[in-house]
Amino acid sequence: MRRVILAITGTIAGLVALLSFRSHVPSSPVAATAGGPGGGSSASSAPAGSSASPSPPKGGGQTEAAPGAFPQGSLAGTLSAGEKAVNGKVANTAYGPVQIQLIERSGKIVKVAVLTQPLNTLNDIQIGKFAFPKLIGETLTAQDAKIDAVSGATYTSAGYVQSLQSALDKQN
């Protein structure tokens, strides 16, 4: 009789734990895109080193920019003479959409900005702060989409490269 009670109790506890599990990936990902020139949010116009504290995202958890030490939001409003902004396609990753914008001058990539990135969890934000500056630096050095992925940010790196390649394809 004790074994039966223990088996039933264990089964109920296992079911409760299983049913209370929440997946990291939202059931219906929201793909936020930049609204073009001047379409960035107020957070995207903050300087890269600003001390603005991030507020938790509402709704689908995706916004156009997040705090970090890399260009965020559209750079189209800051173009110099002879520069052209090219937006990559939104790349949907397991953790959310990634979209970049590159600025080219005389066929050379001079700036890269992140328009959309995963922001569902604090971990997503931390990965973005860590990965995007490295990916942007490699892009500016390599001048193409043949760059290494950042360890620990494999999905984000793949989305970045996919969006970058689509921007490069539009550029030509």
Side-chain angles (χ1 to χ4, degrees):
M1 186 67 178
R2 281 188 186 174
R3 290 183 187 172
V4 172
I5 292 173
L6 287 175
I8 292 173
T9 304
T11 302
I12 291 172
L15 284 173
V16 168
L18 182 63
L19 294 175
S20 66
F21 178 75
R22 294 181 187 220
S23 174
H24 176 75
V25 179
S27 59
S28 60
V30 177
T33 59
S41 66
S42 62
S44 67
S45 62
S50 72
S51 61
S53 61
S55 60
K58 296 178 182 175
Q62 308 301 329
T63 62
E64 293 178 8
F70 55 92
Q72 301 166 338
S74 179
L75 295 174
T78 64
L79 295 178
S80 301
E83 291 182 339
K84 181 174 98 174
V86 182
N87 292 352
K89 291 181 181 176
V90 176
N92 290 312
T93 69
Y95 297 103
V98 176
Q99 183 182 24
I100 63 100
Q101 177 184 62
L102 60 87
I103 306 296
E104 65 101 10
R105 182 185 321 129
S106 303
K108 182 177 179 187
I109 301 170
V110 293
K111 296 178 189 172
V112 179
V114 177
L115 298 178
T116 307
Q117 74 177 76
L119 297 173
N120 291 319
T121 66
L122 182 59
N123 190 43
D124 291 340
I125 295 168
Q126 290 172 339
I127 286 173
K129 280 182 170 181
F130 175 75
F132 286 123
K134 291 182 181 212
L135 293 166
I136 290 170
E138 284 194 39
T139 302
L140 295 174
T141 301
Q143 291 294 307
D144 62 23
K146 295 176 184 167
I147 59 175
D148 292 332
V150 175
S151 178
T154 306
Y155 292 114
T156 300
S157 297
Y160 176 91
V161 169
Q162 184 180 352
S163 184
L164 174 62
Q165 186 61 57
S166 72
L168 292 170
D169 291 345
K170 287 180 187 178
Q171 176 187 10
N172 295 333

